Amino acid sequence: MIVGALILLTCSVVLGHPLYPKGEGTGLAFFDIFLKLKDTIIAQVSSAGIVIMILFGYSGYMNTIGANQVAVNLLVGPLKKIKTNILFIPIIFLVGNLMSLVIPSASSLAIILMAILYPMLVGMGISSLTAAGVIAMTATVMPTPLGADNVIAAGTLNYNLMDYVIWHAKISIPTLLVMAVAHYFWQKYCDKKEGQDAFISLDKADLVAQEAINAPTYYAILPLLPLILILVVGITGMVVKGITMDIFVLTFIAYFIAVIIETIRHRSYKKVQESATEMFKGMGQGFSQVVILVVGGSLFTTAIQSLGIIDSLMSSVQSSNSAGIVTSLIFSGATTLFGILSGGGLAMFYAVIDLIPNIADKAGIDGILIALPMQMIANLARTISPVAAVVMIVASTVGTSPVRILKRTSVPTIIGIICVIVLSILLLPY
């Protein structure tokens, strides 16, 4: 996207469209192209980007001290008490999505669950492909203020983050429940049709090894500490006027609380200091994996706007009597297609999020009607892409082709996408 944006910006300069007003650029039109890249990076890092980086960093630190794995083990534990296998499929899907609050990366969550949950499911008589299909879909559309996509969308649309997450929950929670039911019937149908072929013998050595977790049980609360602090501060702010803190501050508070707990537990600040640096390595990972993608999308958006393409597109959209719904459906359909082809629809979401307020204004609708279904579909489309990392991880671990995993995820995902679109049109503000 960055290379494409630079090419489009070059075309814009060649066609005589200046990127900066006279006296504000470098003084050389072609050098303004790279000044625009610099300005975009600074703008994104200083707004939503720094929040994304801190959330990635905190998650990385939680992985290092074993808190994420403890939380997953704690959530998996009660599943062992369920005696009826029939209930396992929808429950595992819902619990797995709950775990995505702790481990937001779909790939990382799949690796952990394939090591912890998969052997238990297969041992209880659930088919290999059913277990794999459900695990591949355990990170979809959970509403959380800790999600990078929610942070970016709320900021771009000028929504309070918690208000945006509440709208998200109104769509995502019913969608997850419908998908859980769809999983049950679809997996049951596939097992009946495939018979013994649905069961794949797997050597334990093939499973991704997990390091022994020595962290105490109470560490399970640490991954959720930023979310707990957000809720506490939000409730306190309703009672005591003047108290406001953003996610960045609260996450750093949670981080230092965790460091203090680690110091008390190990009684060695030097040892804790070594692991604490994972916070900043994770921030770098957040920059390289998400923030730079947002930069590329924002720069691409700027380039398209400089060529006047958006104005032409919106002129045609405004001529439609149902411009709002049509626009929402166009973006949802494009996101689905892009997600299937690329394995990650969020790339497209980040690329166009800056355009949405302007497009929504010209279409006469609230930007959330375009952004929210597009964002959810971007997360769902990943599970029906043969090149998605999470699908390839699950398929390679089980020892089967991605196509067989996609068969198990296809129907629940398609039903989820339809559910998102319908609920968005019915419930979201215009």
Side-chain angles (χ1 to χ4, degrees), residues 59 134 140 143 243 247 332 346 352 411:
S59 179
V134 174
T140 50
I243 296 179
I247 290 181
S332 296
L346 279 173
V352 302
V411 171

Side-chain angles (χ1 to χ4, degrees), residues 171 328 369 372-373 419-430:
I171 308 298
S328 181
L369 183 62
L372 195 51
C419 197
V420 164
I421 293 172
V422 172
L423 289 174
S424 296
I425 293 172
L426 293 177
L427 300 179
L428 290 179
Y430 277 80

Side-chain angles (χ1 to χ4, degrees), residues 52-389:
I52 294 168
M53 289 164 65
I54 192 70
L55 292 174
F56 261 78
Y58 189 77
S59 179
Y61 182 54
M62 291 297 102
N63 275 332
T64 300
I65 65 176
N68 280 344
Q69 288 81 352
V70 171
V72 170
N73 283 332
L74 203 64
L75 287 168
V76 168
L79 296 176
K80 298 177 182 177
K81 298 179 181 179
I82 300 174
K83 303 299 181 183
T84 311
N85 288 3
I86 213 169
L87 297 175
F88 255 91
I89 298 168
I91 289 175
I92 288 166
F93 172 73
L94 295 173
V95 172
N97 274 277
L98 191 62
M99 290 177 190
S100 67
L101 292 175
V102 177
I103 305 173
S105 167
S107 302
S108 298
L109 182 58
I111 289 170
I112 292 173
L113 293 182
M114 286 303 292
I116 296 173
L117 194 57
Y118 181 83
M120 183 185 83
L121 297 178
V122 173
M124 296 185 69
I126 292 175
S127 76
S128 307
L129 292 180
T130 290
V134 174
I135 288 173
M137 289 188 65
T138 48
T140 50
V141 290
M142 276 299 293
T144 169
L146 304 182
D149 46 356
N150 284 329
V151 172
I152 292 170
T156 305
L157 300 176
N158 291 320
Y159 265 80
N160 174 278
L161 180 58
M162 291 307 298
D163 290 341
Y164 186 85
V165 171
I166 289 171
W167 279 113
H168 189 297
K170 290 179 181 179
I171 308 298
S172 58
I173 291 177
T175 298
L176 287 170
L177 293 174
V178 170
M179 290 174 69
V181 174
H183 254 300
Y184 167 70
F185 288 105
W186 179 243
Q187 304 306 338
K188 188 176 180 181
Y189 168 79
C190 289
D191 280 348
K192 185 177 180 181
K193 189 173 181 180
E194 295 179 28
Q196 282 301 119
D197 289 340
F199 294 81
I200 301 171
S201 59
L202 183 65
D203 192 323
K204 288 186 178 180
D206 292 334
L207 291 172
V208 179
Q210 293 288 306
E211 295 180 7
I213 303 302
N214 298 317
T217 305
Y218 65 83
Y219 267 43
I221 200 71
L222 294 181
L224 294 174
L225 194 54
L227 183 59
I228 294 170
L229 291 176
I230 289 169
L231 295 174
V232 170
V233 170
I235 294 170
T236 305
M238 295 178 186
V239 180
V240 183
K241 299 299 180 184
I243 296 179
T244 57
M245 278 190 279
D246 59 24
I247 290 181
F248 185 91
V249 174
L250 294 174
T251 305
F252 248 122
I253 291 172
Y255 166 64
F256 281 106
I257 290 173
V259 170
I260 291 169
I261 291 172
E262 274 279 277
T263 304
I264 295 171
R265 176 184 164 220
H266 290 289
R267 299 180 182 179
S268 168
Y269 180 67
K270 183 178 179 181
K271 183 176 181 180
V272 171
Q273 192 175 5
E274 291 173 359
S275 63
T277 59
E278 292 297 323
M279 171 74 163
F280 306 102
K281 292 178 183 177
M283 289 180 71
Q285 185 181 15
F287 179 83
S288 65
Q289 291 186 4
V290 177
V291 177
I292 200 66
L293 189 63
V294 178
V295 168
S298 182
L299 191 67
F300 196 80
T301 296
T302 300
I304 291 174
Q305 286 176 320
S306 70
L307 289 170
I309 296 173
I310 297 302
D311 291 334
S312 300
L313 174 65
M314 288 318 303
S315 295
S316 61
V317 169
Q318 282 179 288
S319 64
S320 171
N321 293 326
S322 54
I325 294 176
V326 170
T327 305
S328 181
L329 290 175
I330 288 171
F331 277 93
S332 296
T335 305
T336 303
L337 181 61
F338 187 85
I340 293 171
L341 295 175
S342 68
L346 279 173
M348 181 175 177
F349 173 73
Y350 292 141
V352 302
I353 185 63
D354 282 341
L355 293 173
I356 288 177
N358 188 34
I359 292 172
D361 183 58
K362 291 184 177 179
I365 57 173
D366 191 314
I368 198 171
L369 183 62
I370 302 173
L372 195 51
M374 185 180 181
Q375 172 192 346
M376 291 189 185
I377 290 170
N379 283 294
L380 288 170
R382 174 178 56 228
T383 57
I384 50 175
S385 170
V387 295

